[in-house]
Amino acid sequence: MIEEIESTPVRSELALLAGARCGGGFRTLLAQALPRERDTGTPLYLMLDDLAAVSLIADFAVTRWPSAEPGTPRTTVSPQEGVCTGFMPGSSALSPDRVREGGDRTRRVVPLPHPDDPAGWHELAVPAEPSMRRARRIDVTPGEVIGVDAMFQDSATVPEGGRSAVHEYRLHATAHARTGVLLSLRAEPRILPYDECPLAVLNLDRLLGTPLADLRTTVPRVLRGTDGCTHLNDALRALAEVPVLVAALHRRAQE
């Protein structure tokens, strides 16, 4: 549940989200509370939209740390059969012994900021307690055909320092500049927890021909249940912001 929320610059409408749960129904409430942010595709709306998915995987952070009390079981997320490709019927993710059998394929990752690319990321906090983070990057190259290179990473702090990632994808896409129609789309699974998870990329062709601006509504309709990956779907929905980024580049070029 959201206890406090604020932004810089200030958006008074965020007060409407206080007391809301970040799970089911949150995105509907978000659209009602910030319709202008939704309609104009602001960065703030994109970050708030991610709260629904990040809250879903927040328990992963706790599993990286020893229990506070000896003998206390670590927090785990109960598998929901059929909710996504990774939890398809018969999946290794549904096995009670999935960790012992090698089903947990999370791994340590290096810091995203790099000294050779100071503009690549803003400064990221380094918490010393259990903490979950979703980092997202969307780079666009304008032209008659828009090029898109995007990625996201879900990672948690670990007691010995650094971070361990549970999800990481990279997306490559092109779209027609005038119509915004998606021309090509490819996803690279980098880090995923179970063997079946990468199978979600086999269905991406279903989105070709979709206008970028429609992806927020089209992706959950076309890639439902075992046809999609919850977190890859979020990355695909976020491509609806590409026209906003292209417009910003055009304004910058005219200044």
Side-chain angles (χ1 to χ4, degrees):
M1 179 179 293
I2 297 176
E3 295 182 354
E4 297 181 11
I5 184 168
E6 60 183 25
S7 67
T8 304
V10 174
R11 292 289 188 274
S12 60
E13 301 95 324
L14 290 183
L16 298 173
L17 301 178
R21 292 178 58 87
C22 288
F26 175 75
R27 284 170 172 158
T28 299
L29 175 61
L30 177 60
Q32 294 170 347
L34 289 92
R36 184 179 65 83
E37 305 283 346
R38 176 201 60 195
D39 295 342
T40 56
T42 65
L44 173 62
Y45 193 83
L46 178 57
M47 288 190 291
L48 292 171
D49 183 88
D50 264 336
L51 288 177
V54 174
S55 65
L56 178 67
I57 59 172
D59 278 348
F60 173 75
V62 182
T63 69
R64 304 300 97 179
W65 291 68
S67 299
E69 298 291 337
T72 301
R74 296 182 305 176
T75 304
T76 56
V77 177
S78 299
Q80 300 181 47
E81 182 174 335
V83 71
C84 65
T85 300
F87 289 132
M88 66 173 62
S91 167
S92 61
L94 299 172
S95 169
D97 299 321
R98 59 189 181 279
V99 175
R100 180 175 58 80
E101 294 173 354
D104 185 348
R105 301 187 180 280
T106 61
R107 68 172 184 260
R108 296 291 298 272
V109 289
V110 299
L112 290 171
H114 194 282
D116 293 339
D117 185 18
W121 295 90
H122 59 73
E123 184 177 351
L124 298 176
V126 186
E129 63 276 340
S131 169
M132 195 74 198
R133 170 188 293 157
R134 168 163 290 187
R136 186 185 297 287
R137 171 182 61 78
I138 304 176
D139 290 339
V140 299
T141 303
E144 292 187 7
V145 173
I146 301 168
V148 182
D149 182 345
M151 63 80 67
F152 81 95
Q153 181 190 87
D154 292 331
S155 65
T157 53
V158 292
E160 59 270 29
R163 307 190 70 84
S164 178
V166 61
H167 304 115
E168 184 177 315
Y169 261 105
R170 187 173 182 181
L171 297 178
H172 303 272
T174 59
H176 192 282
R178 182 175 58 81
T179 64
V181 166
L182 193 61
L183 300 176
S184 67
L185 179 61
R186 178 168 59 90
E188 296 178 20
R190 296 291 187 86
I191 302 173
L192 294 169
Y194 307 113
D195 290 340
E196 293 79 7
C197 293
L199 296 176
V201 305
L202 300 178
N203 298 321
L204 295 188
D205 284 354
R206 300 181 188 181
L207 298 175
L208 297 182
T210 303
L212 290 170
D214 293 346
L215 287 175
R216 282 212 180 276
T217 55
T218 301
V219 168
R221 176 172 53 82
V222 173
L223 301 180
R224 300 182 62 179
T226 57
D227 287 337
C229 164
T230 304
H231 311 292
L232 174 58
N233 281 8
D234 280 341
L236 296 168
R237 292 173 64 252
L239 296 184
E241 311 305 317
V242 168
V244 179
L245 297 176
V246 172
L249 287 172
H250 287 162
R251 288 195 300 271
R252 177 70 63 85
Q254 295 169 0
E255 292 177 352

